[in-house]
């Protein structure tokens, strides 16, 4: 996919997958890798310039994607990137989405308040 080429995009996605595996791998799989890939595409669209994906902006991009994730979890809707009428949370239990939102908030808080957080997550 052309949106994923260049800059630190692949590194951001790899880090998101690791964060998901360590902190958001929950019963019912409310936060799948596919959902993270979808949110990554939305972030690429929001930040199309190459300089926005340089190494020094990785924390900002990851925080932005986690904020999008929290918003989707709280609204209980995550639109597919190419088919926006398709909800990627369809069939997920409200309890699992709420639990994932709480954990994602905790992660975001850590990222925003601790400058070394990405090294430890």
């Amino acid at each position: 996919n052309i949106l994923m080429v260049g800059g630190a995009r692949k590194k951001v996605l790899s880090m998101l997958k690791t964060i998901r595996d360590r902190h958001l791998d929950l019963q019912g799989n409310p936060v799948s890798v596919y959902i993270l890939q979808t949110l990554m595409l939305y972030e690429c669209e929001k930040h199309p310039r190459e300089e926005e994906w340089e190494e020094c902006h990785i924390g900002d991009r990851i925080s932005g994607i986690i904020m999008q994730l929290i918003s989707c979890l709280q609204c209980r809707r995550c639109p597919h990137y190419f088919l926006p009428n398709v909800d990627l949370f369809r069939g997920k239990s409200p309890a699992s989405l709420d639990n994932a939102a709480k954990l994602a908030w905790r992660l975001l808080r850590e990222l925003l308040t601790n400058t070394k957080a990405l090294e430890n997550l």
Side-chain angles (χ1 to χ4, degrees), residues 37-51:
Q37 290 168 330
T38 298
L39 296 175
M40 177 81 179
L41 288 171
Y42 285 116
E43 190 76 2
C44 288
E45 194 176 277
K46 278 195 234 174
H47 301 280
R49 295 189 339 240
E50 214 44 52
E51 54 270 17

Side-chain angles (χ1 to χ4, degrees), residues 18-34:
T18 300
I19 290 169
R20 181 228 172 260
D21 290 348
R22 290 184 183 168
H23 303 283
L24 296 168
D25 189 12
L26 305 169
Q27 184 80 28
N29 195 28
V31 182
S32 66
V33 170
Y34 191 78

Side-chain angles (χ1 to χ4, degrees), residues 42-106:
Y42 285 116
E43 190 76 2
C44 288
E45 194 176 277
K46 278 195 234 174
H47 301 280
R49 295 189 339 240
E50 214 44 52
E51 54 270 17
E52 294 176 290
W53 290 92
E54 290 174 354
E55 194 81 20
C56 61
H57 296 295
I58 285 177
D60 295 335
R61 297 295 75 82
I62 289 175
S63 293
I65 292 167
I66 293 175
M67 280 188 246
Q68 286 182 73
L69 174 63
I70 292 166
S71 176
C72 289
L73 289 164
Q74 290 180 331
C75 293
R76 296 194 169 113
R77 178 160 166 42
C78 184
H80 188 285
Y81 185 77
F82 298 105
L83 305 168
N85 291 331
V86 174
D87 179 13
L88 298 178
F89 287 153
R90 194 173 134 249
K92 306 284 184 191
S93 80
S96 72
L97 297 176
D98 290 344
N99 189 30
K102 279 186 216 161
L103 292 172
W105 266 117
R106 209 172 291 151

